[in-house]
Amino acid sequence: MSNENEDERPEQRLRRELPEEVPASASSEAPIPEERAVSTVTGRQRLVQGLWPPRVSRAQLIVAVLLFGLGFGLAVQVASNSNSDSALRGARQEDLVRILDELDDRTQRLEDEKQGLQKQRDELENSSDQAEEARKQTAEKEKQLGILAGTVAAQGPGITMTIDDTKGTVEADMLLDAIQELRAAGAEAIQVNEVRVVANTYLTDSGKSVSVDGNKINAPYRFKVIGKPQDLEPALNIPGGVVQTLEKEQATVTVERSDKIVVDALRAAKQPDYARSSSR
């Protein structure tokens, strides 16, 4: 027996010690490892799983809020600019040309005023009798201030605007807009019916009429305005301006130019209670 064991070849001993071979069919029935099961998920599914639900950090949230606020502010600014330019966008070419001419006239008036003040300064510096020249300029300035304050009568070229309000729809704020537009166009003296308009003039509604500085006036409202007619009339007739606003309220507006307008309604000079001149 021992001889037989010794006579066995090494290959036979190794075959006897190895386990039996597993049939091929058994391997096909074995469970799929977990790593291989995960690999069945598609790339699109992995992308969706990575994006949703979103993982937002605090810094990203702050940046998003700031960007939203910036966008909202820009949208409001664009809307406001569009509303302010809507009236001019629908204007005719001749109306736009007239508006540009009015702006040029305003610029020229300011330049003339600047040159006048420079001339006065030069006269004071070069006059042999500076005291006398100063008195002349003071008297002239007093007249000018009297016109602005309404304490003296004035006359000169200008316009007359009449507003016929048969429906009783014209209100105080509409007349105030007309006064402001005339002042912006260079009006130097304004009178509404029998009331002089000055710097502190106020208008209020009084039933179906209007009160100016507490004085009740009735339609038709008659404006007498001293200034350059070529500037005053176009300022009232600009698109969306005073005339169009009043006509929408079914009021009739007529504007006439004149070489001589007399503003003779006066205001009493009011003495200050506390202020005193500081000149010596």
Side-chain angles (χ1 to χ4, degrees):
M1 189 72 177
S2 60
N3 293 331
E4 293 179 357
N5 292 337
E6 292 176 355
D7 293 338
E8 286 183 348
R9 296 179 179 178
E11 293 83 356
Q12 293 177 351
R13 287 199 303 270
L14 178 62
R15 183 184 298 273
R16 189 176 54 187
E17 293 174 359
L18 289 174
E20 296 182 358
E21 296 182 359
V22 179
S25 59
S27 62
S28 61
E29 296 177 359
I32 301 174
E34 184 177 357
E35 291 78 3
R36 294 182 60 187
V38 172
S39 64
T40 59
V41 180
T42 64
R44 180 178 298 178
Q45 291 175 339
R46 287 200 299 271
L47 178 62
V48 172
Q49 292 175 358
L51 295 178
W52 189 264
R55 300 175 180 84
V56 181
S57 65
R58 182 177 181 183
Q60 292 174 334
L61 182 61
I62 294 174
V63 171
V65 172
L66 292 176
L67 291 176
F68 174 78
L70 178 61
F72 180 77
L74 291 175
V76 171
Q77 182 67 27
V78 170
S80 116
N81 291 337
S82 299
N83 293 334
S84 62
D85 295 341
S86 59
L88 293 178
R89 190 175 295 116
R92 299 175 301 175
Q93 182 176 1
E94 52 267 28
D95 293 330
L96 294 175
V97 172
R98 186 170 54 188
I99 293 173
L100 290 175
D101 291 339
E102 180 185 351
L103 294 175
D104 292 338
D105 291 337
R106 291 183 184 179
T107 303
Q108 186 61 44
R109 286 198 307 271
L110 293 175
E111 186 64 28
D112 293 341
E113 183 178 355
K114 174 184 175 182
Q115 292 178 0
L117 293 174
Q118 290 176 345
K119 182 180 178 181
Q120 291 179 6
R121 182 195 63 186
D122 295 339
E123 289 175 351
L124 284 174
E125 291 177 351
N126 301 328
S127 175
S128 58
D129 190 352
Q130 295 184 359
E132 182 62 25
E133 185 64 29
R135 280 192 293 269
K136 289 181 181 180
Q137 292 191 12
T138 300
E140 183 64 27
K141 181 64 68 174
E142 182 180 0
K143 292 180 181 179
Q144 296 175 2
L145 294 177
I147 293 174
L148 296 177
T151 58
V152 298
Q155 67 178 22
I159 64 169
T160 299
M161 180 175 67
T162 304
I163 303 173
D164 193 3
D165 181 27
T166 57
K167 302 291 185 180
T169 56
V170 176
E171 298 179 349
D173 59 341
M174 301 176 188
L175 299 184
L176 180 60
D177 289 341
I179 293 174
Q180 298 287 17
E181 193 65 46
L182 290 168
R183 282 175 171 168
E188 298 176 353
I190 304 175
Q191 178 177 327
V192 183
N193 288 18
E194 300 302 323
V195 182
R196 185 72 167 268
V197 176
V198 293
N200 59 350
T201 291
Y202 64 93
L203 289 84
T204 57
D205 292 315
S206 180
K208 289 189 176 182
S209 59
V210 177
S211 292
V212 182
D213 292 335
N215 301 296
K216 186 176 180 180
I217 60 175
N218 297 312
Y221 305 110
R222 184 180 177 85
F223 285 68
K224 294 194 293 183
V225 187
I226 296 177
K228 189 177 180 180
Q230 294 84 348
D231 294 339
L232 299 176
E233 183 180 4
L236 298 172
N237 288 294
I238 61 175
V242 174
V243 173
Q244 287 190 2
T245 301
L246 292 171
E247 288 177 346
K248 287 181 181 179
E249 300 296 331
Q250 300 181 349
T252 303
V253 184
T254 58
V255 180
E256 298 177 356
R257 300 186 185 187
S258 177
D259 294 333
K260 183 179 180 181
I261 298 291
V262 178
V263 175
D264 51 6
L266 303 180
R267 303 289 292 263
K270 184 179 179 180
Q271 296 295 331
D273 295 328
Y274 304 101
R276 296 292 182 269
S277 175
S278 60
S279 60
R280 296 181 180 178

